[in-house]
Amino acid sequence: MAPRVDPVQSDEVLPTSVDVVVIGGGIIGTSTSLFLAQKGISVALCEKGHIAGEQSSRNWGWCRKMVRDPRELPLVIESLRLWERMNETVEGETGFRTCGIMYLGETEADLARLETWLDHAREYQLDTRLIGGAEVAERMPGLAKKWAGALYTPSDGRGEPEMAAPAIATAARRLGASVLTGCAVRGIETSGGKVSAVVTEKGRIACQSVVLAGGAWSRLFCGNLGVELPQLKVLGSVMRTEKVDGGPEISASGGLFGYRKRMDGGYTVSTLGVRTIDIVPDSFRLAVDYLPAMRVHWKKLRFRFGSRFAEEWRMKRRWSLDEATPFEAVRTLDPAADPLVLDRARGSIAESFPAFRNVKIAETWGGMMDVMPDAIPVISAVDTVPGFFIATGFSGHGFGIGPGAGRLVADMVAGGPTIVDPTPFRLSRFTDGSNPRPHPLAS
């Protein structure tokens, strides 16, 4: 079952020309469109399915600075500032609330490992601190299990993934952006070596720049352009509970559970403990790139071999602009949740919070996360295709950083000063000898 996403009105008429075309209507694409429109830049947002149809509505809804890779910290700090005023900015409800987030530790060894991240918090003067078991119990009403302590950031928050990107897209449209759903982009035309247009299934749109925010589809789109993007897909599994009386307000993860309180009084529950990876042809093509990440996170990875291998083997990887593409064949990736992952999460959260022991599970869903070998995104111009920008590979934590990433992309496309230095997110880091690796603690 897919999450129930707020609807967004689509424009019926395809513009003949805009300054920028944004491909992908998730949190990154909608945020990019909003900030471009705020700058007075004409933009068309093209989404093959519906706004926030894939991972942008299927994630936990965490908006956190804590336990981020240090390369992401400047951007996520700016993103949280944008989140804090997002409802006012979009004149709508994104569900954002400052609630605090905890990473719980069962043992002193867990706390010592979490404490190593405090050096990064101090560098940026964050309010993250280590707290003991007594304070954990005090701040978490209904907690039955004893924890050694936690890493706690009071200023971190939560949003509603089913509401946020739609609200942002609606605001962008109100500022003049064209929002085109059910409109897959087949590819890019160039003139004089530079971007000159996109070709969609509904027609051509002339433009000067293109932003690819295609999530799990980005590698396939880039491959048709001859641009190598070392991105894989990882299945995230999530469940939504019915209303829980007396449940915690602070979002937290510990053991095999992670959760967020929802505006409807229920909870989104999943786990940081297990990631499901279906073996597909790209698993072999990119095996060398991902070896460092596999060594770091080996215990969290659950590999499966099934029908997805054949599906992706048969999927077209090259096409011309006048023929139907895989983006038109599959409008929305809607994978089933991994029941093993959810069973573990439910058992783990019930052990800590008795209120969850008999709660009804209203629905479950899966989502395909777009991951990179070093677990940080690509937010970058593409040197070989002037005018083409990529914003993808957010590795399962793009929702919280989404507004900041959208602002950064808009700044880059506009050619002015950027909200943060984009250098850590450059595509060329995978080929310039810098040998990027995942941060051992960041998740």
PDB file of all heavy atoms in Angstrom, residues 14-15 21 23 46 180 182-188 197-205 321-323 328:
ATOM      1  N   LEU A  14       1.644  22.600 -21.767  1.00  0.00           N
ATOM      2  CA  LEU A  14       3.102  22.509 -21.723  1.00  0.00           C
ATOM      3  C   LEU A  14       3.703  23.838 -22.174  1.00  0.00           C
ATOM      4  O   LEU A  14       3.384  24.324 -23.256  1.00  0.00           O
ATOM      5  CB  LEU A  14       3.557  21.393 -22.663  1.00  0.00           C
ATOM      6  CG  LEU A  14       4.947  20.798 -22.459  1.00  0.00           C
ATOM      7  CD1 LEU A  14       4.924  19.871 -21.251  1.00  0.00           C
ATOM      8  CD2 LEU A  14       5.360  20.015 -23.706  1.00  0.00           C
ATOM      9  N   PRO A  15       4.557  24.468 -21.345  1.00  0.00           N
ATOM     10  CA  PRO A  15       5.171  25.718 -21.816  1.00  0.00           C
ATOM     11  C   PRO A  15       6.123  25.440 -22.980  1.00  0.00           C
ATOM     12  O   PRO A  15       6.775  24.396 -23.018  1.00  0.00           O
ATOM     13  CB  PRO A  15       5.930  26.223 -20.580  1.00  0.00           C
ATOM     14  CG  PRO A  15       6.196  25.006 -19.753  1.00  0.00           C
ATOM     15  CD  PRO A  15       5.031  24.085 -19.999  1.00  0.00           C
ATOM     16  N   VAL A  21      14.242  23.554 -16.570  1.00  0.00           N
ATOM     17  CA  VAL A  21      13.361  22.404 -16.375  1.00  0.00           C
ATOM     18  C   VAL A  21      13.913  21.569 -15.229  1.00  0.00           C
ATOM     19  O   VAL A  21      15.102  21.224 -15.217  1.00  0.00           O
ATOM     20  CB  VAL A  21      13.237  21.548 -17.647  1.00  0.00           C
ATOM     21  CG1 VAL A  21      12.477  20.251 -17.349  1.00  0.00           C
ATOM     22  CG2 VAL A  21      12.536  22.322 -18.751  1.00  0.00           C
ATOM     23  N   ILE A  23      13.517  17.978 -13.342  1.00  0.00           N
ATOM     24  CA  ILE A  23      12.993  16.631 -13.565  1.00  0.00           C
ATOM     25  C   ILE A  23      12.872  15.935 -12.213  1.00  0.00           C
ATOM     26  O   ILE A  23      13.868  15.699 -11.538  1.00  0.00           O
ATOM     27  CB  ILE A  23      13.921  15.821 -14.486  1.00  0.00           C
ATOM     28  CG1 ILE A  23      14.144  16.550 -15.812  1.00  0.00           C
ATOM     29  CG2 ILE A  23      13.353  14.427 -14.722  1.00  0.00           C
ATOM     30  CD1 ILE A  23      15.232  15.930 -16.675  1.00  0.00           C
ATOM     31  N   CYS A  46       8.742  18.800 -14.048  1.00  0.00           N
ATOM     32  CA  CYS A  46       8.166  17.660 -14.752  1.00  0.00           C
ATOM     33  C   CYS A  46       8.287  16.409 -13.899  1.00  0.00           C
ATOM     34  O   CYS A  46       9.393  16.036 -13.485  1.00  0.00           O
ATOM     35  CB  CYS A  46       8.879  17.428 -16.087  1.00  0.00           C
ATOM     36  SG  CYS A  46       8.698  18.767 -17.281  1.00  0.00           S
ATOM     37  N   LEU A 180       3.976  19.939 -13.953  1.00  0.00           N
ATOM     38  CA  LEU A 180       3.461  19.029 -14.967  1.00  0.00           C
ATOM     39  C   LEU A 180       3.597  17.602 -14.458  1.00  0.00           C
ATOM     40  O   LEU A 180       4.702  17.039 -14.436  1.00  0.00           O
ATOM     41  CB  LEU A 180       4.237  19.199 -16.277  1.00  0.00           C
ATOM     42  CG  LEU A 180       4.258  20.640 -16.826  1.00  0.00           C
ATOM     43  CD1 LEU A 180       5.404  20.828 -17.802  1.00  0.00           C
ATOM     44  CD2 LEU A 180       2.926  20.977 -17.489  1.00  0.00           C
ATOM     45  N   GLY A 182       2.423  13.416 -14.564  1.00  0.00           N
ATOM     46  CA  GLY A 182       2.168  12.503 -15.665  1.00  0.00           C
ATOM     47  C   GLY A 182       2.911  12.918 -16.914  1.00  0.00           C
ATOM     48  O   GLY A 182       2.444  12.717 -18.034  1.00  0.00           O
ATOM     49  N   CYS A 183       4.094  13.484 -16.727  1.00  0.00           N
ATOM     50  CA  CYS A 183       4.862  14.058 -17.847  1.00  0.00           C
ATOM     51  C   CYS A 183       6.328  13.654 -17.712  1.00  0.00           C
ATOM     52  O   CYS A 183       7.128  14.382 -17.119  1.00  0.00           O
ATOM     53  CB  CYS A 183       4.706  15.583 -17.863  1.00  0.00           C
ATOM     54  SG  CYS A 183       5.531  16.406 -19.248  1.00  0.00           S
ATOM     55  N   ALA A 184       6.665  12.497 -18.245  1.00  0.00           N
ATOM     56  CA  ALA A 184       8.037  12.004 -18.171  1.00  0.00           C
ATOM     57  C   ALA A 184       8.937  12.759 -19.142  1.00  0.00           C
ATOM     58  O   ALA A 184       8.552  13.028 -20.286  1.00  0.00           O
ATOM     59  CB  ALA A 184       8.074  10.517 -18.483  1.00  0.00           C
ATOM     60  N   VAL A 185      10.133  13.086 -18.683  1.00  0.00           N
ATOM     61  CA  VAL A 185      11.152  13.673 -19.556  1.00  0.00           C
ATOM     62  C   VAL A 185      11.963  12.532 -20.159  1.00  0.00           C
ATOM     63  O   VAL A 185      12.527  11.708 -19.440  1.00  0.00           O
ATOM     64  CB  VAL A 185      12.068  14.639 -18.780  1.00  0.00           C
ATOM     65  CG1 VAL A 185      13.198  15.135 -19.680  1.00  0.00           C
ATOM     66  CG2 VAL A 185      11.261  15.823 -18.257  1.00  0.00           C
ATOM     67  N   ARG A 186      12.018  12.491 -21.477  1.00  0.00           N
ATOM     68  CA  ARG A 186      12.733  11.416 -22.163  1.00  0.00           C
ATOM     69  C   ARG A 186      14.227  11.694 -22.281  1.00  0.00           C
ATOM     70  O   ARG A 186      15.038  10.766 -22.291  1.00  0.00           O
ATOM     71  CB  ARG A 186      12.132  11.199 -23.551  1.00  0.00           C
ATOM     72  CG  ARG A 186      10.716  10.659 -23.502  1.00  0.00           C
ATOM     73  CD  ARG A 186      10.104  10.528 -24.878  1.00  0.00           C
ATOM     74  NE  ARG A 186       8.834   9.794 -24.818  1.00  0.00           N
ATOM     75  CZ  ARG A 186       8.038   9.588 -25.851  1.00  0.00           C
ATOM     76  NH1 ARG A 186       8.383  10.086 -27.048  1.00  0.00           N
ATOM     77  NH2 ARG A 186       6.919   8.907 -25.715  1.00  0.00           N
ATOM     78  N   GLY A 187      14.586  12.966 -22.403  1.00  0.00           N
ATOM     79  CA  GLY A 187      15.996  13.285 -22.550  1.00  0.00           C
ATOM     80  C   GLY A 187      16.214  14.762 -22.809  1.00  0.00           C
ATOM     81  O   GLY A 187      15.287  15.576 -22.755  1.00  0.00           O
ATOM     82  N   ILE A 188      17.461  15.094 -23.100  1.00  0.00           N
ATOM     83  CA  ILE A 188      17.910  16.472 -23.252  1.00  0.00           C
ATOM     84  C   ILE A 188      18.415  16.699 -24.670  1.00  0.00           C
ATOM     85  O   ILE A 188      19.113  15.854 -25.237  1.00  0.00           O
ATOM     86  CB  ILE A 188      19.037  16.772 -22.238  1.00  0.00           C
ATOM     87  CG1 ILE A 188      18.492  16.716 -20.799  1.00  0.00           C
ATOM     88  CG2 ILE A 188      19.684  18.124 -22.509  1.00  0.00           C
ATOM     89  CD1 ILE A 188      19.579  16.831 -19.739  1.00  0.00           C
ATOM     90  N   ALA A 197      17.098  22.211 -24.673  1.00  0.00           N
ATOM     91  CA  ALA A 197      15.696  21.808 -24.499  1.00  0.00           C
ATOM     92  C   ALA A 197      15.628  20.451 -23.817  1.00  0.00           C
ATOM     93  O   ALA A 197      16.625  19.718 -23.748  1.00  0.00           O
ATOM     94  CB  ALA A 197      14.978  21.735 -25.852  1.00  0.00           C
ATOM     95  N   VAL A 198      14.454  20.136 -23.314  1.00  0.00           N
ATOM     96  CA  VAL A 198      14.144  18.748 -22.949  1.00  0.00           C
ATOM     97  C   VAL A 198      13.027  18.278 -23.860  1.00  0.00           C
ATOM     98  O   VAL A 198      12.216  19.072 -24.356  1.00  0.00           O
ATOM     99  CB  VAL A 198      13.713  18.587 -21.469  1.00  0.00           C
ATOM    100  CG1 VAL A 198      14.810  19.049 -20.523  1.00  0.00           C
ATOM    101  CG2 VAL A 198      12.394  19.304 -21.181  1.00  0.00           C
ATOM    102  N   VAL A 199      12.997  16.971 -24.062  1.00  0.00           N
ATOM    103  CA  VAL A 199      11.903  16.352 -24.793  1.00  0.00           C
ATOM    104  C   VAL A 199      11.129  15.501 -23.793  1.00  0.00           C
ATOM    105  O   VAL A 199      11.678  14.590 -23.182  1.00  0.00           O
ATOM    106  CB  VAL A 199      12.409  15.490 -25.967  1.00  0.00           C
ATOM    107  CG1 VAL A 199      11.239  14.758 -26.630  1.00  0.00           C
ATOM    108  CG2 VAL A 199      13.138  16.354 -26.982  1.00  0.00           C
ATOM    109  N   THR A 200       9.855  15.832 -23.624  1.00  0.00           N
ATOM    110  CA  THR A 200       8.986  15.068 -22.741  1.00  0.00           C
ATOM    111  C   THR A 200       8.062  14.192 -23.578  1.00  0.00           C
ATOM    112  O   THR A 200       7.989  14.347 -24.800  1.00  0.00           O
ATOM    113  CB  THR A 200       8.128  15.984 -21.843  1.00  0.00           C
ATOM    114  OG1 THR A 200       7.018  16.474 -22.605  1.00  0.00           O
ATOM    115  CG2 THR A 200       8.935  17.162 -21.311  1.00  0.00           C
ATOM    116  N   GLU A 201       7.339  13.313 -22.925  1.00  0.00           N
ATOM    117  CA  GLU A 201       6.369  12.492 -23.641  1.00  0.00           C
ATOM    118  C   GLU A 201       5.245  13.334 -24.230  1.00  0.00           C
ATOM    119  O   GLU A 201       4.535  12.895 -25.145  1.00  0.00           O
ATOM    120  CB  GLU A 201       5.795  11.440 -22.705  1.00  0.00           C
ATOM    121  CG  GLU A 201       5.038  12.020 -21.513  1.00  0.00           C
ATOM    122  CD  GLU A 201       4.485  10.935 -20.604  1.00  0.00           C
ATOM    123  OE1 GLU A 201       3.699  10.101 -21.087  1.00  0.00           O
ATOM    124  OE2 GLU A 201       4.846  10.933 -19.411  1.00  0.00           O
ATOM    125  N   LYS A 202       5.087  14.579 -23.734  1.00  0.00           N
ATOM    126  CA  LYS A 202       4.019  15.453 -24.209  1.00  0.00           C
ATOM    127  C   LYS A 202       4.506  16.545 -25.155  1.00  0.00           C
ATOM    128  O   LYS A 202       3.710  17.352 -25.624  1.00  0.00           O
ATOM    129  CB  LYS A 202       3.303  16.087 -23.017  1.00  0.00           C
ATOM    130  CG  LYS A 202       2.583  15.074 -22.135  1.00  0.00           C
ATOM    131  CD  LYS A 202       1.870  15.736 -20.973  1.00  0.00           C
ATOM    132  CE  LYS A 202       1.108  14.729 -20.143  1.00  0.00           C
ATOM    133  NZ  LYS A 202       0.394  15.351 -19.004  1.00  0.00           N
ATOM    134  N   GLY A 203       5.827  16.575 -25.387  1.00  0.00           N
ATOM    135  CA  GLY A 203       6.356  17.598 -26.275  1.00  0.00           C
ATOM    136  C   GLY A 203       7.671  18.168 -25.789  1.00  0.00           C
ATOM    137  O   GLY A 203       8.229  17.750 -24.765  1.00  0.00           O
ATOM    138  N   ARG A 204       8.145  19.152 -26.519  1.00  0.00           N
ATOM    139  CA  ARG A 204       9.456  19.750 -26.274  1.00  0.00           C
ATOM    140  C   ARG A 204       9.319  21.034 -25.464  1.00  0.00           C
ATOM    141  O   ARG A 204       8.383  21.813 -25.681  1.00  0.00           O
ATOM    142  CB  ARG A 204      10.127  20.041 -27.617  1.00  0.00           C
ATOM    143  CG  ARG A 204      11.503  20.659 -27.577  1.00  0.00           C
ATOM    144  CD  ARG A 204      12.004  20.870 -29.006  1.00  0.00           C
ATOM    145  NE  ARG A 204      13.362  21.402 -29.053  1.00  0.00           N
ATOM    146  CZ  ARG A 204      13.670  22.701 -29.010  1.00  0.00           C
ATOM    147  NH1 ARG A 204      12.677  23.606 -28.915  1.00  0.00           N
ATOM    148  NH2 ARG A 204      14.915  23.105 -29.068  1.00  0.00           N
ATOM    149  N   ILE A 205      10.255  21.256 -24.541  1.00  0.00           N
ATOM    150  CA  ILE A 205      10.315  22.515 -23.798  1.00  0.00           C
ATOM    151  C   ILE A 205      11.723  23.081 -23.975  1.00  0.00           C
ATOM    152  O   ILE A 205      12.708  22.472 -23.523  1.00  0.00           O
ATOM    153  CB  ILE A 205      10.040  22.322 -22.289  1.00  0.00           C
ATOM    154  CG1 ILE A 205       8.703  21.609 -22.060  1.00  0.00           C
ATOM    155  CG2 ILE A 205      10.062  23.673 -21.578  1.00  0.00           C
ATOM    156  CD1 ILE A 205       8.441  21.269 -20.599  1.00  0.00           C
ATOM    157  N   LEU A 321      14.928   9.968 -28.401  1.00  0.00           N
ATOM    158  CA  LEU A 321      13.975  10.897 -27.804  1.00  0.00           C
ATOM    159  C   LEU A 321      12.571  10.794 -28.397  1.00  0.00           C
ATOM    160  O   LEU A 321      11.645  11.425 -27.881  1.00  0.00           O
ATOM    161  CB  LEU A 321      14.494  12.336 -27.922  1.00  0.00           C
ATOM    162  CG  LEU A 321      15.836  12.607 -27.244  1.00  0.00           C
ATOM    163  CD1 LEU A 321      16.181  14.088 -27.336  1.00  0.00           C
ATOM    164  CD2 LEU A 321      15.830  12.140 -25.794  1.00  0.00           C
ATOM    165  N   ASP A 322      12.422   9.995 -29.438  1.00  0.00           N
ATOM    166  CA  ASP A 322      11.096   9.854 -30.036  1.00  0.00           C
ATOM    167  C   ASP A 322      10.456   8.511 -29.692  1.00  0.00           C
ATOM    168  O   ASP A 322       9.477   8.108 -30.318  1.00  0.00           O
ATOM    169  CB  ASP A 322      11.162  10.027 -31.556  1.00  0.00           C
ATOM    170  CG  ASP A 322      12.056   8.995 -32.236  1.00  0.00           C
ATOM    171  OD1 ASP A 322      12.716   8.197 -31.513  1.00  0.00           O
ATOM    172  OD2 ASP A 322      12.113   8.982 -33.477  1.00  0.00           O
ATOM    173  N   GLU A 323      11.008   7.806 -28.710  1.00  0.00           N
ATOM    174  CA  GLU A 323      10.408   6.530 -28.320  1.00  0.00           C
ATOM    175  C   GLU A 323      10.104   6.517 -26.828  1.00  0.00           C
ATOM    176  O   GLU A 323      10.697   7.272 -26.036  1.00  0.00           O
ATOM    177  CB  GLU A 323      11.324   5.363 -28.685  1.00  0.00           C
ATOM    178  CG  GLU A 323      12.666   5.358 -27.983  1.00  0.00           C
ATOM    179  CD  GLU A 323      13.525   4.163 -28.399  1.00  0.00           C
ATOM    180  OE1 GLU A 323      13.036   3.019 -28.264  1.00  0.00           O
ATOM    181  OE2 GLU A 323      14.670   4.378 -28.844  1.00  0.00           O
ATOM    182  N   GLU A 328       8.041   5.997 -18.561  1.00  0.00           N
ATOM    183  CA  GLU A 328       6.624   5.945 -18.919  1.00  0.00           C
ATOM    184  C   GLU A 328       6.023   4.575 -18.641  1.00  0.00           C
ATOM    185  O   GLU A 328       4.816   4.451 -18.433  1.00  0.00           O
ATOM    186  CB  GLU A 328       6.460   6.312 -20.395  1.00  0.00           C
ATOM    187  CG  GLU A 328       6.836   7.757 -20.692  1.00  0.00           C
ATOM    188  CD  GLU A 328       7.383   7.945 -22.098  1.00  0.00           C
ATOM    189  OE1 GLU A 328       6.586   7.889 -23.054  1.00  0.00           O
ATOM    190  OE2 GLU A 328       8.614   8.143 -22.239  1.00  0.00           O
TER     191      GLU A 328
END
